[in-house]
């Protein structure tokens, strides 16, 4: 069996009933990308655990267990949010990763990032996470030996589940896995972390006015429809697909 690079998506309805609608537009673009760059898609659609007890974002870290359980040989793995779309001419992200833990810096909401870092600091008293190096989990590439790191993420959740659930739902309310994973990645990989440009994860597009004249489709590779009311995502992603679909014809 040939090892392929894997594009791994989590599509559980847990907290977004609109996901089943907008994932169609996401996957239309990513299927094209997978064929172009000889990757394989894997979509987690059935929860491994109750999604109130473990949010879908935490469940994606079981990626290696899932691939191995399904007999899928893998090389590098990209964890990709289902509220993204990819430009038809996007380069092969696996060739740009240098077989390192790879992501895109997320510094558009300084208050959110800073306070999230502070809120989870208690778990990592000896790790100094700089907000200017904070990575968005919407596009992450794991190196070939990424299984050990994923095991650490899974164990961290299981060891701290009650406190993490309180922080996520009641007290801090600054994300789920993203900030702990930033800490864990820095702890595990140190300086061996690779960053791609913002073109590979254009987040919070309403804040940067990227929706004006559909600039996002002209100046970036991966469009992340986050930071929007969830009910607006399907409409915006559908409009995007209708505008650009001719570029994805074989």
């Amino acid at each position: 069996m040939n090892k392929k690079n894997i594009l791994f998506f989590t599509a559980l309805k847990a907290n977004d009933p609109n996901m089943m609608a907008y994932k169609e537009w996401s996957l239309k673009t990513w299927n094209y990308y997978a064929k172009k760059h000889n990757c394989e898609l894997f979509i987690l659609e059935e929860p491994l655990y109750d999604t109130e007890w473990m949010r879908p974002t935490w469940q994606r870290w079981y990626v290696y267990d899932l691939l191995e359980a399904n007999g899928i040989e893998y090389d590098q793995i990209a964890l990709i949010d289902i509220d993204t779309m990819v430009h038809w001419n996007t380069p092969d992200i696996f060739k740009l990763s240098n077989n390192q833990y790879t992501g895109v810096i997320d510094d558009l909401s300084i208050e959110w990032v800073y306070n999230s870092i502070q809120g989870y600091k208690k778990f990592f008293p000896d790790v100094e996470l700089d907000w200017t190096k904070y990575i968005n989990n919407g596009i992450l590439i794991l190196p070939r030996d990424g299984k050990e790191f994923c095991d650490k993420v899974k164990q961290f959740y299981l060891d701290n589940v009650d406190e993490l659930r309180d922080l996520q739902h009641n007290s801090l309310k600054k994300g789920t896995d993203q900030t702990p994973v930033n800490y864990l990645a820095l702890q595990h990989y140190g300086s061996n972390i690779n960053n791609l440009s913002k073109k590979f994860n254009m987040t919070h597009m309403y804040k940067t006015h990227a929706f004006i004249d559909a600039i996002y489709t002209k100046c970036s590779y991966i469009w992340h429809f986050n930071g929007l009311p969830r009910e607006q995502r399907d409409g915006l992603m559908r409009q995007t697909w209708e505008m650009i679909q001719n570029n994805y014809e074989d």
Side-chain angles (χ1 to χ4, degrees):
M1 225 175 187
N2 291 329
K3 293 184 177 180
K4 283 191 174 184
N5 293 319
I6 306 293
L7 305 173
F8 184 91
F9 298 84
T10 304
L12 306 180
K13 288 187 280 190
N15 62 340
D16 188 357
N18 303 287
M19 181 184 293
M20 294 303 109
Y22 65 71
K23 80 172 185 178
E24 176 182 354
W25 319 116
S26 174
L27 294 178
K28 281 181 182 294
T29 64
W30 283 108
N31 273 307
Y32 177 89
Y33 178 92
K35 290 178 184 176
K36 184 174 182 180
H37 295 295
N38 195 29
C39 306
E40 185 169 342
L41 267 77
F42 189 100
I43 307 168
L44 174 60
E45 295 180 294
E46 296 297 328
L48 303 173
Y49 297 97
D50 176 80
T51 53
E52 282 303 310
W53 185 77
M54 181 185 286
R55 305 305 287 168
T57 46
W58 286 104
Q59 295 193 35
R60 63 180 154 189
W61 296 99
Y62 286 79
V63 53
Y64 288 95
D65 307 81
L66 288 161
L67 293 175
E68 290 169 6
N70 284 276
I72 297 173
E73 297 282 339
Y74 53 82
D75 191 15
Q76 295 181 81
I77 297 169
L79 304 180
I80 302 172
D81 281 2
I82 201 71
D83 60 350
T84 60
M85 298 176 75
V86 62
H87 190 284
W88 54 95
N89 278 335
T90 298
D92 186 344
I93 54 177
F94 295 105
K95 290 181 179 178
L96 300 175
S97 72
N98 301 318
N99 191 32
Q100 293 174 284
Y101 184 85
T102 298
V104 176
I105 298 297
D106 186 350
D107 58 2
L108 285 181
S109 181
I110 297 171
E111 176 276 327
W112 193 99
V113 169
Y114 179 82
N115 283 326
S116 187
I117 288 172
Q118 296 307 306
Y120 286 100
K121 175 68 175 173
K122 63 179 120 181
F123 298 105
F124 306 95
D126 301 322
V127 182
E128 295 304 320
L129 177 58
D130 187 331
W131 69 268
T132 65
K133 297 181 179 179
Y134 184 89
I135 289 174
N136 183 281
N137 279 5
I139 305 288
L140 288 174
I141 304 166
L142 303 174
R144 294 183 182 95
D145 61 356
K147 189 174 190 299
E148 182 183 354
F149 176 67
C150 285
D151 287 343
K152 287 187 175 182
V153 175
K154 287 152 46 184
Q155 193 60 50
F156 173 79
Y157 186 82
L158 296 175
D159 289 344
N160 301 284
V161 58
D162 291 337
E163 194 167 2
L164 289 170
R165 290 185 71 239
D166 178 68
L167 287 164
Q168 290 168 182
H169 299 292
N170 304 314
S171 54
L172 183 63
K173 296 183 179 180
K174 298 289 184 186
T176 57
D177 69 321
Q178 185 166 276
T179 301
V181 164
N182 267 270
Y183 272 113
L184 289 163
L186 182 57
Q187 190 178 62
H188 185 78
Y189 292 109
S191 60
N192 193 30
I193 293 176
N194 182 47
N195 294 129
L196 299 179
S197 80
K198 290 183 184 294
K199 291 181 179 181
F200 289 91
N201 189 358
M202 181 166 272
T203 60
H204 297 284
M205 291 189 284
Y206 73 100
K207 288 185 178 179
T208 58
H209 308 295
F211 285 127
I212 297 174
D213 296 328
I215 288 172
Y216 62 101
T217 65
K218 304 168 186 174
C219 69
S220 60
Y221 293 126
I222 298 173
W223 316 311
H224 196 170
F225 294 81
N226 66 335
L228 296 160
R230 297 182 189 280
E231 62 273 13
Q232 291 183 17
R233 288 179 187 170
D234 177 50
L236 284 166
M237 293 172 74
R238 178 195 296 267
Q239 289 170 26
T240 300
W241 175 250
E242 290 173 350
M243 179 172 53
I244 61 175
Q245 60 182 307
N246 291 342
N247 296 288
Y248 296 85
E249 294 175 354
D250 294 330

